[in-house]
Amino acid sequence: MTGKVVVNRCMSLDGFIAGPGHSMDWGNGRALADFVAPEDFAAIAAATGAMLVGRRTWEVGERMAAEQPGSIDYPFAGPMFLLTHRPLEPANPAVTILSGDTGAAVATALTAAGGKDLEILGADVAGQCLQRGLVDEILVYVLPVLLGDGVPFSPPGLTRTALEPLGSTRSGDATILRFRVPPPAGPTG
Ligand SMILES: NC(=O)c1ccc[n+]([C@@H]2O[C@H](COP(=O)([O-])OP(=O)(O)OC[C@H]3O[C@@H](n4cnc5c(N)ncnc54)[C@H](OP(=O)(O)O)[C@@H]3O)[C@@H](O)[C@H]2O)c1
């Protein structure tokens, strides 16, 4: 059995997945886990078998871990794949570095997920995956805040993509939205 490729995001109501300067402070120092019901957070993490992370997301995570130890509290301990053109310094044996074709990276990480879902982290990486029709689902935690500026959900240039709503639920102070991404239409004629 193969898991799904899921773009999993928390997002301000005005569509930003991070604030200016890649800040992940969603108000008064609150992190995602402070908004979502713990059982929902745990269930979504339990469905995840691997993560594919863009280099900038990785660096923001490293910065958060250094500045506020314990601020990254996602209950996940499976295989991590980092998409980057540069080595990690110092090297980190807990993460596999991938480079080059994003489709091949998704296939590698999905296999490692062992039948569970693969989470795609990073706006640029998610945009590439959406553009290439590699994403099965989008899961968004909408947080009750307007940021006004920051990193948008997807980078400019993504073509219009019709989505199929799967569900919307209130979870703590967040609203969880799920959408299926239909496969790209094949050639006509
Ligand atoms: N709210 C949320 O749930 C959430 C989740 C995830 C991320 N974020 C935020 O999103 C922001 C980061 O997103 P982003 O769009 O700026 O960057 P990103 O997608 O995290 O990383 C992009 C970088 O990954 C590397 N990369 C991408 N594709 C590659 C490929 N095929 N081969 C090799 N390397 C590749 C490149 O880095 P190099 O060329 O430098 O190696 C590229 O510049 C951060 O602010 C983060 O906090 C928010």
Side-chain angles (χ1 to χ4, degrees):
M1 196 184 85
T2 307
K4 293 170 291 188
V5 177
V6 181
V7 168
N8 181 330
R9 284 291 174 280
C10 62
M11 188 180 80
S12 66
L13 183 59
D14 51 349
F16 296 106
I17 62 165
H22 297 282
S23 166
M24 296 297 281
D25 177 354
W26 300 99
N28 301 319
R30 288 175 88 189
L32 170 62
D34 300 324
F35 289 89
V36 180
E39 61 275 17
D40 291 328
F41 210 46
I44 291 166
T48 300
M51 290 192 181
L52 179 63
V53 186
R55 180 66 185 252
R56 248 182 323 266
T57 298
W58 183 269
E59 287 172 352
V60 170
E62 295 279 274
R63 189 185 75 193
M64 286 168 67
E67 289 175 0
Q68 293 168 278
S71 57
I72 301 176
D73 48 7
Y74 197 49
F76 171 78
M80 290 277 242
F81 295 86
L82 172 62
L83 260 178
T84 184
H85 299 98
R86 299 169 285 132
L88 277 179
E89 289 173 11
N92 182 342
V95 61
T96 303
I97 290 185
L98 299 174
S99 189
D101 181 52
T102 304
V106 167
T108 299
L110 187 58
T111 301
K116 290 187 168 187
D117 294 345
L118 169 65
E119 275 191 28
I120 306 287
L121 297 183
D124 170 75
V125 172
Q128 293 182 53
C129 293
L130 284 163
Q131 193 67 47
R132 292 189 51 181
L134 301 171
V135 178
D136 298 306
E137 264 183 41
I138 298 175
L139 184 158
V140 181
Y141 305 92
V142 181
L143 304 185
V145 61
L146 300 170
L147 289 184
D149 196 4
V151 179
F153 175 85
S154 53
L158 186 67
T159 47
R160 181 162 54 173
T161 307
L163 304 173
E164 179 189 327
L166 291 179
S168 60
T169 50
R170 174 79 184 268
S171 175
D173 286 342
T175 305
I176 300 179
L177 305 178
R178 287 180 188 268
F179 300 90
R180 193 174 81 87
V181 186
T188 53

